[in-house]
Amino acid sequence: MDTRHMRYFMALAETLHFGRAAERMNMSQPPFSRQIAMIEHTLGVKLFERNSRNVALTPAGKHFMKDCRNVLGQFEEACRDVRLVASGMKGELRFGFMMHAAHSVVPQLVQLYAEARSDVRLVLDERTPTEIDEMLVAGTLDAAVTFDCGYAPHLQTVLLARERLRIIMRKDHPLATAGQIGPEELRVEKIIAAPAATAPALRSAINSYFLARGIVPHVVLEPRLQHTIIQLVAKGLGVALIPASLCTELGAGLMSRALTDAPQLDVVLRAPVTTKNPAVSTFMEIGKSIQRTLL
Amino acid sequence: MDTRHMRYFMALAETLHFGRAAERMNMSQPPFSRQIAMIEHTLGVKLFERNSRNVALTPAGKHFMKDCRNVLGQFEEACRDVRLVASGMKGELRFGFMMHAAHSVVPQLVQLYAEARSDVRLVLDERTPTEIDEMLVAGTLDAAVTFDCGYAPHLQTVLLARERLRIIMRKDHPLATAGQIGPEELRVEKIIAAPAATAPALRSAINSYFLARGIVPHVVLEPRLQHTIIQLVAKGLGVALIPASLCTELGAGLMSRALTDAPQLDVVLRAPVTTKNPAVSTFMEIGKSIQRTLL
DNA sequence: CACGATTAATGCTTTCAGGGTATCAGATGG
DNA sequence: CCATCTGATACCCTGAAAGCATTAATCGTG
């Protein structure tokens, strides 16, 4: 038995006429009759009640008709869908992003892509930048938004936004009312920053900001998650340098201020150049289309 | 494309090894490789990423795998089910019955059959005896419980029960406290009875009961439905002769009494001898097994 | 680095499933 | 009773697909 046999069966079940059913199958009546006989023989079931004058479905045939319609429909759909998946119109896209971008480009990117490719299931995965890099290499992620960390030959990159860092502190902190804030003013402050192992680009930008003035920043705590950093600042354990886009929704007791010659970080959309997922290309295209204020 | 190709694809998708997949399909590797290439060509989609050392699924292939598993499962199930339907283990059985049997044999018959053949959907259809006869002939019903109305060459018959008629009346009716009740006592009563066109066997039994004593029953109303007859008796418009099994659940104001030499009616299970529905035979068997008190 | 082992692809041959044509056989209506 | 319609049978033939032998590519190993 095969779907071809099901199609033969359906042709006869719908026409109840061997000649016309054979014609619909683009073949002559004799081999068609044999195929029907063969189907009945291999199934061991009489599907049609027939004499040289009339053809009628048996109850088993009536039931089989429903099942066949179902199976043939699913079969066609599977063959259609696999082409859609191959063309990137359907399927799945595993998308990683870092917390630092969750409030800026990610929502727009996700929404625009969902509108363009509603049949592609976006699997969102919030990770630290280092995890993202590893997962992109391992192929666990199809694409990701992260900080540009320079050289990456096996990755294609689209620049999405360029963000300045701002400093956040409690509203009752002395710096809250100070004048301009730069490395000198922060020399004695307790700094909270993600470790280099977790967010290399971010941490290196912070370090360079100080070291360029010959200052070694006084980093007292190194939590891995951005969320934790903000919590610790709120508890008064220090101040932190975070991307501007994260400063819009700080808690009540916190505030942010600009830095003199603030460090800049590039937020990029990345995907392995060798990606086999055809859904990635339009994802990258949409990334290009939403490049933000490159202040 | 055909299910055979899907099976080839699944074999390779699961083993990721041409040689072993071919072996699983009971064929040698070269034609198997060609079949895979053919599948990819006709679909126009690369399903496997392969070199002479490794075989891996593309994203499209991964997706197709799920769909194929689904389609193949449904396909097998359809082929299995059609055999079940042909053997009467599954399918549908359109079962007609008259109101007069709804309280006696029908519930037991239905329950026992549902236990024996849970995969056969019983379509219950309450009808008048005449409608039942017509539908059995027309093939709209597969089997039915009705009164035995004698000769019916194209129907097979199983006697289920033999029921006496009883008379029902309002509790405030004079007959309620009378002695024995027979045709003589009913000579002047207003009788309510189903018309011969609706329930020939029942009406003929009632008529004969009187005519054997030379009495013409005074039938004042002839509703088609048993339910209506009981309602009218309850309103005091007359008395009625109904099967004993229907007398157990009369309304509050009604009562029933035995008749002298009460007429008897055979309740039978019937099906066309030419029935094509294989589910009928065990239905009839169960009918035989529950033959009731043939008092 | 060369060689053997592994594995997928290719070339050629063969076979049989399944299609075509001609014809038969049973049923029906005039 | 014959013409006609329709499904079944007989027989032939083609091509899809299987087998065998071989090639080509890749990797591990001495």
Side-chain angles (χ1 to χ4, degrees):
Chain A
M1 276 291 295
D2 227 329
T3 46
R4 186 168 46 92
H5 299 118
M6 280 192 171
R7 273 184 273 268
Y8 290 161
F9 167 76
M10 285 302 288
L12 183 56
E14 285 172 359
T15 61
L16 295 177
H17 188 290
F18 279 76
R20 280 187 278 278
E23 193 180 11
R24 181 188 292 191
M25 290 290 101
N26 299 310
M27 61 194 290
S28 57
Q29 171 264 318
F32 183 82
S33 286
R34 259 187 319 220
Q35 286 298 323
I36 295 294
M38 215 262 277
I39 293 168
E40 290 185 324
H41 181 255
T42 56
L43 285 178
V45 171
K46 251 190 117 51
L47 298 170
F48 296 97
E49 215 56 62
R50 56 187 179 279
N51 52 38
S52 49
R53 211 66 196 167
N54 298 303
V55 179
L57 282 161
T58 62
K62 272 207 189 81
H63 187 97
F64 195 49
M65 200 175 158
K66 291 179 206 150
D67 283 354
C68 284
R69 209 190 301 279
N70 200 17
V71 169
L72 290 175
Q74 300 241 331
F75 181 87
E76 305 294 346
E77 195 182 342
C79 294
R80 221 175 327 124
D81 280 359
V82 72
R83 292 192 185 94
L84 289 179
V85 173
S87 71
M89 297 298 295
K90 191 180 163 87
E92 186 177 286
L93 195 147
R94 293 157 303 172
F95 170 49
F97 63 95
M98 55 180 191
M99 183 61 191
H100 311 88
H103 292 303
S104 50
V105 288
V106 166
Q108 193 182 358
L109 183 59
V110 166
Q111 191 194 341
L112 283 175
Y113 186 74
E115 284 168 9
R117 293 290 143 88
S118 56
D119 283 341
V120 177
R121 204 165 65 89
L122 262 188
V123 180
L124 301 188
D125 204 351
E126 200 241 301
R127 297 283 180 169
T128 65
T130 300
E131 284 175 329
I132 284 173
D133 286 347
E134 288 165 358
M135 292 173 78
L136 279 176
V137 174
T140 320
L141 288 177
D142 293 312
V145 167
T146 182
F147 289 129
D148 190 0
C149 53
Y151 182 65
H154 52 287
L155 295 177
Q156 53 182 313
T157 301
V158 171
L159 179 61
L160 293 178
R162 183 160 288 167
E163 284 209 279
R164 289 185 187 278
L165 296 187
R166 292 170 65 86
I167 183 161
I168 63 168
M169 68 217 78
R170 282 172 66 108
K171 284 179 178 164
D172 56 9
H173 192 279
L175 281 178
T177 52
Q180 287 211 337
I181 305 178
E184 286 293 344
E185 290 74 21
L186 296 175
R187 181 192 294 271
V188 296
E189 293 295 335
K190 295 173 188 157
I191 308 286
I192 303 174
T198 299
L202 176 61
R203 181 59 183 269
S204 127
I206 293 172
N207 285 351
S208 305
Y209 184 55
F210 288 92
L211 295 177
R213 273 81 174 179
I215 299 169
V216 177
H218 180 36
V219 176
V220 291
L221 290 167
E222 293 190 319
R224 293 177 55 253
L225 302 180
Q226 193 63 26
H227 178 252
T228 312
I229 293 176
I230 296 174
Q231 291 286 327
L232 296 176
V233 172
K235 294 228 188 285
L237 297 178
V239 300
L241 280 65
I242 69 173
S245 66
L246 280 182
C247 295
T248 55
E249 297 180 33
L250 292 171
L254 290 177
M255 63 175 294
S256 75
R257 297 196 55 191
L259 293 166
T260 55
D261 298 326
Q264 284 188 351
L265 277 164
D266 287 346
V267 176
V268 294
L269 174 59
R270 293 202 146 161
V273 287
T274 63
T275 186
K276 292 299 164 193
N277 190 336
V280 170
S281 60
T282 47
F283 195 66
M284 300 301 280
E285 286 305 317
I286 286 177
K288 278 180 203 165
S289 76
I290 62 166
Q291 282 182 338
R292 287 281 190 91
T293 50
L294 301 183
L295 176 65
Chain B
M1 275 294 294
D2 227 330
T3 46
R4 185 168 47 93
H5 299 118
M6 280 192 171
R7 273 184 271 269
Y8 290 162
F9 166 76
M10 284 303 288
L12 183 56
E14 285 171 359
T15 61
L16 294 178
H17 188 289
F18 278 76
R20 279 187 278 279
E23 193 180 12
R24 180 187 291 193
M25 291 289 100
N26 298 309
M27 61 194 289
S28 57
Q29 171 263 318
F32 182 83
S33 286
R34 263 189 308 243
Q35 286 297 321
I36 295 294
M38 214 263 278
I39 294 169
E40 290 184 323
H41 181 254
T42 56
L43 285 178
V45 171
K46 251 189 116 50
L47 299 170
F48 296 97
E49 215 56 63
R50 56 187 179 278
N51 51 38
S52 50
R53 209 67 197 168
N54 299 304
V55 179
L57 281 160
T58 62
K62 273 205 188 82
H63 187 98
F64 195 49
M65 198 174 160
K66 290 178 206 152
D67 283 354
C68 283
R69 208 191 301 279
N70 200 15
V71 169
L72 290 175
Q74 300 240 332
F75 181 87
E76 305 293 347
E77 194 183 341
C79 294
R80 220 174 328 122
D81 280 0
V82 73
R83 292 191 186 94
L84 289 179
V85 173
S87 71
M89 297 299 294
K90 191 179 162 85
E92 186 178 286
L93 195 147
R94 294 158 303 173
F95 170 48
F97 63 95
M98 54 180 190
M99 183 59 191
H100 311 87
H103 292 303
S104 51
V105 288
V106 166
Q108 193 182 357
L109 184 59
V110 167
Q111 190 194 342
L112 284 174
Y113 187 73
E115 284 168 8
R117 293 292 142 88
S118 56
D119 283 342
V120 177
R121 204 165 65 90
L122 263 187
V123 180
L124 301 188
D125 204 350
E126 201 241 299
R127 297 282 180 169
T128 64
T130 299
E131 284 176 329
I132 284 173
D133 286 347
E134 289 164 357
M135 293 174 77
L136 280 175
V137 174
T140 320
L141 289 177
D142 292 312
V145 168
T146 182
F147 288 128
D148 190 0
C149 51
Y151 183 64
H154 52 287
L155 296 177
Q156 52 183 312
T157 301
V158 171
L159 179 61
L160 293 178
R162 183 160 287 167
E163 283 208 279
R164 289 185 188 279
L165 297 187
R166 291 170 66 86
I167 184 160
I168 62 168
M169 68 216 81
R170 282 172 66 109
K171 284 180 178 164
D172 56 9
H173 192 279
L175 281 178
T177 53
Q180 287 212 331
I181 305 178
E184 286 295 342
E185 291 74 22
L186 296 175
R187 182 192 294 269
V188 296
E189 292 297 333
K190 294 172 188 160
I191 309 286
I192 303 174
T198 299
L202 176 61
R203 180 58 182 270
S204 128
I206 293 172
N207 285 352
S208 304
Y209 183 56
F210 288 91
L211 294 176
R213 272 82 175 178
I215 298 169
V216 177
H218 181 37
V219 176
V220 291
L221 290 168
E222 294 190 318
R224 292 176 57 252
L225 302 181
Q226 193 64 26
H227 179 250
T228 312
I229 292 176
I230 296 173
Q231 292 286 327
L232 295 177
V233 172
K235 293 227 188 284
L237 298 177
V239 299
L241 279 65
I242 69 172
S245 67
L246 280 181
C247 294
T248 54
E249 296 180 35
L250 292 171
L254 290 177
M255 64 174 293
S256 74
R257 297 196 56 192
L259 293 165
T260 56
D261 297 327
Q264 284 189 350
L265 278 164
D266 286 348
V267 176
V268 293
L269 174 59
R270 293 201 145 160
V273 287
T274 63
T275 187
K276 291 300 166 194
N277 190 335
V280 170
S281 60
T282 49
F283 195 66
M284 300 301 280
E285 287 305 315
I286 287 177
K288 277 180 202 164
S289 76
I290 62 166
Q291 282 182 339
R292 286 283 190 90
T293 51
L294 302 181
L295 176 63

